[in-house]
Amino acid sequence: MGLPRFAGTVLAALTAGISAALLVLAVGLARGDAARPHAAGLGPGGVGTLASALATDHVGSSACTSCHAGEAKAWLASQHAQAMTLAGPETVRGDFSDVTVEHRGSKARFFRDGPRYRVETEGRDGKTAAFDVTHTFGVEPLQQYLVTFPDGRLQALPFAYDTRPKDAGGQRWFHLYPDQPMPASDPLHWTRSQQNWNFMCAECHSTAVRKGYDAASDTFHTTFSEISVGCESCHGAGAGHAAWAAKGADPKVAGKGFAAVAAPRPTPDWTPDPLTGSPAHGVARLPGDEVETCARCHARRGTFSQDWHPGRPLTDTHMPALLSEGLFEDDGQMRDEVFNDHSFKQSLMYAKGVVCSDCHDPHSAKLKADGAQVCAQCHLPARFATPAHTGHPPGKSGDKVPAEKTPDCMSCHMPARTYMVVDPRHDHSFRVPRPDLSVALGTPNACTDCHKDKPASWAAEAVERWHGPNRKGHQTWAEAVHRARAGEPAARDMLLKLAAEPAVPGIAKATIIGELQRFPSLATETATTKALADPDPMVRVAALRSLAGAPLETRWRRASDLLADPVAAVRLEAASALADQPLAGLSESEKARLEAAFAAYEAAQRLNADRPEGRANLATFLLRRGQPAAAEAQLRAGLAREPEATPLAVNLADLYRAQGREAEAEQVLRQAIALAPRAAAPRHALGLSLARQRRYPEAVEQLAAAATLAPDDAQYAYVQAVALQSTGQPAAAQRVVADALARHPYDPQLLMLALQDALQARDAARAAPLAQKLSQMTPDDPEIARLAARLRRP
């Protein structure tokens, strides 16, 4: 463990290779003919009707109405039923009366051409053209519109229609990215892959989707059983159930004819305890329960299999995100558009066995009671809807405190953020408001969401007056994660303690295991090894990811058993960890297990071959399996489809580097820079390539450019400093290190460079604190510890 011993800062040590720029597994989508006409309404040819292209095990929502009329009526009025429709007079909510909308240099004209709905706007080539609007997407509080292209792509336009009433600010066109220009060259332009319905949207807005991407022709034939979210989206294929009903609905038949059903929950008792005001007991939950059914679409995740069915955990077909920086706040509050599942799984309610339908009607998706009254199903208003609990007087219309400003359960425990400009969504982690964390860590809090004119310290003092200093809530990891992301060595022990705490929610523990890898030590290794056997599959996934870079013997010893894990996501992660494991020398059972996992991993990446992420993952896997030509073909195909995907270019250049094809590597990187001049990774890779070619002045220039473009990446600054040292510019290297340490005060590599420089200058006063920090970051390195102790002596 620990840092390399003082081996000298030679540039050659850095230019031996570039780590592959891996991308996360992409969301892959899903089945039915996307261009097949449908009309609104339940019945022949409309919403709820079976598409003719589908397999025989689906029957369509219209087949359910004779036995389930009440449920069908509730569903038909829901947003699920209107998630996607064919554009027509009954479905289009936007104003197509020759309206022109402008946005930061781009514009769109919405108009009618007989029965067709059309938009005149900038295409992928940057030229203005007219396109047919073929489908509507969503209904409230906004509606988007899709354009179908000849290759089977459906693309979402960047202008959406605000369907709220005019007096609420609606009945207008608006741009979904109001604060940034969106030229045709931008990766978020409406014609590009990030706005592609087949990949980004289809699985959760239609039923039984099959993406149907053909890599050879680079075309889609996406199909679905129903154009919108129908009964079989949640219940699975219904032909068996319909046959069961037709034969008399024998109650002895398992699953009532369905091939699979969500795991049943034991009957809960949510009767409030008069002493606490909340239910006294929870109820056990089972893998594959109702929450996992909803999570399929209400989670931030990637798809690796289209063979979803009820009763299995989400991780059997999808790879959920962790509570990652940028997606979530350090305390786990939602930041980016992450939907509800990750938030809910952090909550005490989830830990107690609450499911989605305890609060939401599963067919209408509406709350079971108005607003915060839904909470009164389980929590006594006499205890909680009082000034003693809320700290606020009850408000009535006309009172000093307007009713709409009076806090309730939802405003305090489910603060909302607005996404897509007009769509407010409540955080489902049901957390205790923590303005004290806002003071200490900068996280948001519900109090100053309303009291915007007050500082967080004011709110923290108020909460402490009402409830005392120890009312901290179920989510306890904010400080540890915050300190970890700042690189503070004190975070290690905090993370280790949380990793061993059974009450920490699985999604948070998985995130904690990931954050622990910033602090390598024997204790970290022990905690990570233990996490490989954690009951939560995402904790096992995070622990497997931590094995990257370990010797193959270590990886095989720790990961091989997980090739047979009951959860597919874990098996895939184990396959990735062991991609370079030779088959020779394994027992027949080991070989079979490994080959099956490899086949599943490769199939998952090929499912997402329309995405740069899928191509990058597959290329890396093939390269580690000793197939460089196949890996090169994947990277080149990905770049042909998405030339601006700079990680693919960096990976391809690194493959060429390993084969001694340095000139080709340089060419690929220069092409990437020309297409994405603000991207740091290809400039960094080019700098290393130029250094290998002994073109040092050019190399230093490109490495400096990368460090400037990505100041948050400490590695870029470190490599720039090494390059400056190695080319005889020590003063410039010192300045780079000093500037970078101001941003990354605990980065081990930067600390090592600064320490080496101080020792060479015989500056003990400067070296001592640097050695002390390094010793804290590498607690198992005896050499650093001895040096730090020696420098501390007067």
Side-chain angles (χ1 to χ4, degrees):
M1 305 300 295
L3 292 169
R5 306 304 189 263
F6 295 85
T9 54
V10 292
L11 187 59
L14 295 169
T15 59
I18 307 170
S19 296
L22 296 180
L23 294 171
V24 296
L25 184 69
V27 178
L29 300 173
R31 174 170 187 169
D33 186 348
R36 183 177 302 280
H38 296 268
L42 184 65
V47 168
T49 301
L50 185 67
S52 61
L54 197 77
T56 56
D57 58 349
H58 283 70
V59 295
S61 296
S62 58
C64 305
T65 58
S66 60
C67 296
H68 304 284
E71 290 85 352
K73 182 179 179 181
W75 164 76
L76 190 58
S78 73
Q79 292 195 31
H80 280 160
Q82 303 173 69
M84 181 172 170
T85 63
L86 193 74
E90 297 179 354
T91 60
V92 171
R93 302 281 295 276
D95 183 356
F96 279 78
S97 61
D98 203 8
V99 176
T100 298
V101 191
E102 298 190 11
H103 169 75
R104 295 180 179 269
S106 63
K107 63 181 180 179
R109 182 171 72 94
F110 295 91
F111 63 100
R112 295 286 300 273
D113 180 6
R116 295 191 295 171
Y117 292 82
R118 310 205 76 198
V119 59
E120 186 178 78
T121 192
E122 184 182 63
R124 182 158 185 163
D125 58 3
K127 298 178 181 178
T128 299
F131 303 90
D132 283 347
V133 171
T134 55
H135 298 82
T136 70
F137 209 63
V139 60
E140 291 175 354
L142 69 152
Q143 188 173 67
Q144 292 181 264
Y145 300 94
L146 305 178
V147 171
T148 301
F149 285 85
D151 59 3
R153 286 180 302 126
L154 271 68
Q155 300 292 133
L157 290 165
F159 292 96
Y161 196 75
D162 186 341
T163 60
R164 298 174 301 168
K166 193 167 186 178
D167 59 8
Q171 301 301 298
R172 65 187 177 97
W173 291 100
F174 66 95
H175 200 281
L176 289 164
Y177 298 91
D179 299 326
Q180 59 189 101
M182 202 63 65
S185 59
D186 194 291
L188 290 174
H189 190 262
W190 75 275
T191 59
R192 296 178 178 269
S193 62
Q194 289 300 100
Q195 310 299 334
N196 173 240
W197 167 86
N198 312 70
F199 160 74
M200 295 292 296
C201 320
E203 182 180 24
C204 292
H205 278 253
S206 299
T207 303
V209 175
R210 291 292 182 269
K211 183 167 57 172
Y213 176 69
D214 180 68
S217 61
D218 188 21
T219 58
F220 291 93
H221 180 64
T222 304
T223 60
F224 44 69
S225 68
E226 293 179 47
I227 193 171
S228 62
V229 178
C231 305
E232 290 164 303
S233 285
C234 302
H235 294 283
H241 178 67
W244 168 83
K247 291 178 180 178
D250 185 351
K252 296 178 183 179
V253 175
K256 299 181 179 180
F258 284 108
V261 295
R265 180 183 65 177
T267 302
D269 179 6
W270 299 134
T271 304
D273 183 337
L275 294 177
T276 65
S278 297
H281 305 288
V283 62
R285 65 181 334 118
L286 299 173
D289 67 1
E290 175 190 305
V291 174
E292 296 298 274
T293 296
C294 300
R296 181 179 172 224
C297 290
H298 291 275
R300 186 74 175 250
R301 80 290 183 277
T303 302
F304 57 77
S305 171
Q306 297 178 133
D307 295 326
W308 175 86
H309 55 81
R312 296 296 297 165
L314 177 66
T315 43
D316 230 28
T317 50
H318 297 75
M319 187 70 78
L322 299 181
L323 305 181
S324 306
E325 192 171 10
L327 296 181
F328 296 86
E329 304 289 350
D330 292 343
D331 62 353
Q333 290 186 75
M334 60 186 189
R335 185 175 184 179
D336 200 1
E337 190 174 11
V338 294
F339 314 105
N340 300 327
D341 183 66
H342 284 71
S343 298
F344 184 50
K345 286 177 178 172
Q346 299 173 49
S347 71
L348 183 60
M349 289 175 65
Y350 178 78
K352 293 292 187 180
V354 173
V355 298
C356 307
S357 63
D358 287 325
C359 300
H360 297 270
D361 178 86
H363 298 99
S364 69
K366 294 179 180 179
L367 287 175
K368 289 188 169 182
D370 290 338
Q373 290 300 311
V374 74
C375 306
Q377 297 178 114
C378 301
H379 303 281
L380 290 175
R383 182 176 181 87
F384 296 109
T386 66
H389 180 74
T390 68
H392 293 69
K396 299 178 182 177
S397 181
D399 284 355
K400 183 177 180 182
V401 181
E404 65 270 16
K405 293 295 185 182
T406 304
D408 59 16
C409 308
M410 294 173 69
S411 58
C412 292
H413 297 288
M414 300 181 69
R417 281 197 174 190
T418 299
Y419 300 96
M420 302 185 80
V421 183
V422 299
D423 192 3
R425 302 178 195 171
H426 290 279
D427 190 299
H428 278 61
S429 54
F430 303 99
R431 62 185 63 238
V432 171
R434 292 290 303 274
D436 60 311
L437 291 182
S438 302
V439 174
L441 312 179
T443 51
N445 73 89
C447 304
T448 53
D449 279 354
C450 288
H451 297 279
K452 298 183 184 298
D453 60 332
K454 301 291 187 181
S457 57
W458 169 85
E461 291 168 2
V463 171
E464 185 167 340
R465 283 197 310 273
W466 302 333
H467 298 291
N470 297 318
R471 190 168 181 271
K472 303 303 183 185
H474 184 61
Q475 296 90 3
T476 59
W477 54 86
E479 183 181 359
V481 170
H482 180 80
R483 287 177 177 269
R485 289 171 178 171
E488 297 181 27
R492 180 191 286 106
D493 288 344
M494 300 170 72
L495 293 170
L496 287 169
K497 183 178 179 180
L498 288 163
E501 175 54 60
V504 173
I507 191 64
K509 188 171 290 188
T511 304
I512 286 160
I513 291 296
E515 296 294 344
L516 252 179
Q517 307 316 309
R518 301 174 187 260
F519 306 98
S521 68
L522 292 174
T524 295
E525 187 175 346
T526 299
T528 303
T529 302
K530 184 178 179 181
L532 290 167
D534 193 272
D536 191 288
M538 284 309 298
V539 178
R540 302 198 295 276
V541 165
L544 283 165
R545 289 173 182 170
S546 74
L547 295 175
L552 177 58
E553 180 184 357
T554 300
R555 284 183 276 128
W556 176 257
R557 184 173 66 253
R558 295 179 181 168
S560 58
D561 286 348
L562 294 178
L563 292 168
D565 193 274
V567 175
V570 180
R571 298 195 298 271
L572 293 183
E573 204 65 48
S576 177
L578 297 171
D580 53 345
Q581 171 65 49
L583 296 176
L586 299 180
S587 68
E588 288 303 314
S589 61
E590 290 173 333
K591 188 184 299 184
R593 199 165 63 226
L594 190 61
E595 288 180 321
F598 282 170
Y601 183 87
E602 187 169 338
Q605 309 317 314
R606 292 192 185 280
L607 173 65
N608 293 305
D610 57 311
R611 299 293 300 170
E613 300 93 322
R615 297 283 188 173
N617 289 342
L618 181 56
T620 300
F621 176 77
L622 293 170
L623 189 60
R624 293 175 65 198
R625 294 301 305 147
Q627 302 175 49
E632 179 182 353
Q634 289 297 323
L635 294 170
R636 293 181 69 86
L639 283 169
R641 190 172 195 277
E642 200 79 30
E644 298 85 2
T646 55
L648 291 177
V650 172
N651 282 2
L652 181 59
D654 192 47
L655 188 153
Y656 288 158
R657 184 272 314 163
Q659 296 176 336
R661 300 159 66 183
E662 202 67 71
E664 291 174 83
E666 180 182 349
Q667 181 182 14
V668 166
L669 293 169
R670 290 195 182 279
Q671 289 172 346
I673 291 169
L675 289 169
R678 302 295 300 171
R683 290 188 181 273
H684 181 75
L686 178 59
L688 295 178
S689 175
L690 293 168
R692 290 191 293 269
Q693 298 176 61
R694 302 181 183 277
R695 293 157 62 182
Y696 297 122
E698 295 175 79
V700 170
E701 180 183 357
Q702 291 297 333
L703 293 172
T708 300
L709 287 167
D712 291 336
D713 194 320
Q715 175 71 11
Y716 289 170
Y718 168 73
V719 174
Q720 181 193 6
V722 170
L724 290 167
Q725 279 187 347
S726 300
T727 54
Q729 303 176 67
Q734 289 175 6
R735 289 193 295 272
V736 168
V737 171
D739 289 346
L741 277 173
R743 295 188 298 274
H744 312 284
Y746 295 99
D747 183 78
Q749 294 186 114
L750 292 170
L751 286 169
M752 180 65 84
L753 281 185
L755 178 58
Q756 287 179 320
D757 183 68
L759 292 173
Q760 289 168 0
R762 299 183 180 276
D763 188 343
R766 181 158 59 98
L770 293 168
Q772 181 63 28
K773 276 189 177 181
L774 268 175
S775 182
Q776 293 172 344
M777 294 299 294
T778 58
D780 302 322
D781 191 321
E783 184 175 333
I784 294 293
R786 285 193 294 268
L787 176 62
R790 188 166 66 248
L791 289 169
R792 281 198 301 270
R793 298 190 192 108

